[in-house]
Amino acid sequence: KISNPTSATHHQQQHHNLHHKMTSQEELKKQTGYKSVDDYVSSGMVVGLGTGSTAYYAVERLGQKLKSGELKDIVAIPTSIRTKEQAESLGIPLVTLDTHSKLDVAIDGADNVDPFFNLVKGGGGALLREKMVELAA
């Protein structure tokens, strides 16, 4: 078996580029998730928590701000078991649509995040609502 050192380094280089690209997209999702909480969530709100990587960071941020006392009297409605478990582990109080049918803000995962922090998603609101009703049922 003859190993070809050039192809190996080339492969590593490709892998590195791929990893770097993923990291920056992940970093963008984190910034966006955090920013959505910073910009849109204030004390006393009912927050819909979506699913997906951006929403994951938003839930993480919500947990931090509740813990630090920056936010108070927040209740959240999760749209998935995963989000529910994450929120519970962070001590975010959860409610259902039965008791809180009006949401102040809903944070759902973005399929694509552009550099201006716009969440690019088709029909997200209605879908989020359906998922929530399903979960609440």
Side-chain angles (χ1 to χ4, degrees):
K1 225 164 104 177
I2 304 164
S3 67
N4 180 342
T6 52
S7 76
T9 36
H10 178 70
H11 182 71
Q12 280 172 332
Q13 186 58 43
Q14 265 188 326
H15 180 75
H16 175 75
N17 289 347
L18 188 74
H19 181 70
H20 180 71
K21 193 175 173 190
M22 207 174 93
T23 308
S24 59
Q25 182 64 23
E26 203 51 41
E27 193 51 45
L28 199 59
K29 287 178 177 177
K30 182 174 182 171
Q31 287 172 11
T32 306
Y34 275 40
K35 194 176 185 324
S36 62
V37 171
D38 293 345
D39 290 357
Y40 299 111
V41 181
S42 48
S43 292
M45 279 189 167
V46 179
V47 186
L49 299 176
T51 314
S53 46
T54 311
Y56 172 87
Y57 290 117
V59 175
E60 185 177 85
R61 182 68 171 155
L62 193 59
Q64 288 172 2
K65 294 187 91 166
L66 277 167
K67 202 175 191 159
S68 72
E70 261 184 272
L71 287 175
K72 291 176 170 48
D73 305 318
I74 295 281
V75 292
I77 301 175
T79 59
S80 72
I81 299 301
R82 212 174 95 203
T83 307
K84 178 178 185 282
E85 287 171 352
Q86 185 196 0
E88 283 172 345
S89 75
L90 295 170
I92 300 169
L94 299 177
V95 293
T96 64
L97 275 176
D98 298 333
T99 54
H100 295 72
S101 55
K102 190 189 163 299
L103 294 176
D104 294 302
V105 64
I107 300 167
D108 203 5
D111 298 324
N112 294 293
V113 178
D114 71 28
F116 303 106
F117 297 109
N118 295 311
L119 301 191
V120 184
K121 197 171 179 91
L127 200 68
L128 184 75
R129 190 90 198 152
E130 281 168 36
K131 283 193 287 193
M132 288 182 149
V133 174
E134 262 175 33
L135 206 74

